[in-house]
Amino acid sequence: TSTTSVRLSSSDTPDKAVDSDAHSGGNTSGYRIEHLKGIENYASWSVQMSNILDDIDLLGYVDGTTKAPTVLDSDKGSEAAFAKWKKHDRRALTQIRLRVTPPMMPHVQQAKTSKEAWDALASMFKASGPMAAILVRRKLFGFRVQEGGDIEEHVRLLRGYQQELANLDSPLSEKDFANILLTAMPDSWNALVSVLSASDMDVHKLIACILAE
C-alpha cells in the first residue's frame, strides 16, 4: 500500500494520506493536520477536522445528525443496526483523539461517543458572543512579528484570527486584514511595507509578496 502525507494550512481542505479507516467500502484514508493545542488553534482545527470527518462519512456521528438506532427487544435487526452505528461512531471518536495534543487528551479520554468528545472541546474552546469578538480583535491589532520570526506561521495565525471573527459573525474585511498584516511586520520590513502599502494589490498577492521575501 502506498503512503502519502499532506500537511494542511488553515485554509486548506484535507488531502488524502494514510492512517484512518473510512467506514465506507473499507478503504483506508488518512490526513495530517496540526493537532489541537487549545483555544489558540481550535477555530482552524475544528474546520479541518469537520472536513476530514465529512470526507470519510463520519461527520453525522459527531454533529448528532446520524442518531443511534433504537434497539428493540429480541430484534436482531435493530441490534445489528446499533452495533454498526456504534462501530462507526467509535471510528469518529478515534479520529478526534488522534488529532489532539497530549494535554488535550483528558478532555476527550472519557467520552463515550464522538459527539460527546466534540461538544466537550467546543464548550471549552469555541469562542462566542461580542466579548469574544473583542478579545480576538485585540489579539489581531496587538499582533507583532518579531525580528527573525517565522513569517509564514504568523500569516497562518492571523488568518486563523480572521476566521474566528467570521465564525463570531464579526467579519474582518480583506482590506483591514492586509493593513493589520503590514502593521505587524518587524521594523526591518519598513521599506517594503511602505512599497506594499502604496500598491493596490489584493490580499492574496500581498501575502505572496511577503512570503517571497
Side-chain angles (χ1 to χ4, degrees):
T1 303
S2 61
T3 300
T4 306
S5 61
V6 179
R7 181 175 180 81
L8 305 180
S9 66
S10 60
S11 61
D12 291 331
T13 53
D15 293 317
K16 293 184 179 179
V18 178
D19 88 0
S20 62
D21 183 15
H23 75 264
S24 57
N27 295 325
T28 299
S29 300
Y31 310 80
R32 291 184 62 188
I33 62 174
E34 181 180 42
H35 289 191
L36 178 65
K37 299 176 182 177
I39 194 170
E40 66 266 30
N41 74 330
Y42 175 79
S44 59
W45 177 87
S46 61
V47 171
Q48 292 179 339
M49 197 68 235
S50 294
N51 287 341
I52 292 172
L53 292 165
D54 187 35
D55 194 51
I56 58 178
D57 299 327
L58 294 176
L59 184 59
Y61 298 87
V62 171
D63 65 19
T65 56
T66 303
K67 300 185 182 299
T70 301
V71 178
L72 303 176
D73 291 339
S74 302
D75 183 351
K76 291 185 178 180
S78 66
E79 291 176 358
F82 178 79
K84 183 178 180 180
W85 180 92
K86 187 67 177 178
K87 181 178 181 180
H88 294 166
D89 182 67
R90 192 71 183 176
R91 287 175 176 168
L93 179 57
T94 297
Q95 295 302 315
I96 295 171
R97 287 175 174 166
L98 286 174
R99 293 176 177 86
V100 301
T101 57
M104 297 296 103
M105 184 57 71
H107 302 310
V108 296
Q109 190 168 320
Q110 301 301 319
K112 298 295 189 295
T113 66
S114 60
K115 187 177 188 304
E116 183 181 340
W118 187 263
D119 290 348
L121 295 173
S123 67
M124 286 183 291
F125 303 125
K126 185 177 181 180
S128 62
M131 182 54 66
I134 291 172
L135 292 175
V136 174
R137 285 182 179 273
R138 282 174 59 86
K139 291 179 185 178
L140 268 168
F141 291 118
F143 190 87
R144 294 294 182 272
V145 179
Q146 299 299 314
E147 294 286 355
D150 185 335
I151 301 298
E152 185 174 358
E153 179 63 30
H154 289 308
V155 170
R156 282 199 294 266
L157 182 60
L158 289 173
R159 276 300 202 190
Y161 290 151
Q162 185 185 29
Q163 183 59 54
E164 284 187 56
L165 288 174
N167 294 342
L168 292 167
D169 295 322
S170 181
L172 182 75
S173 71
E174 292 286 70
K175 182 177 180 180
D176 286 342
F177 178 84
N179 289 334
I180 289 171
L181 178 58
L182 291 174
T183 302
M185 291 297 106
D187 291 343
S188 61
W189 286 63
N190 284 350
L192 179 60
V193 167
S194 297
V195 173
L196 294 176
S197 298
S199 69
D200 193 28
M201 65 178 65
D202 64 39
V203 70
H204 301 291
K205 291 181 180 178
L206 176 67
I207 291 173
C209 287
I210 289 175
L211 296 180
E213 288 298 316

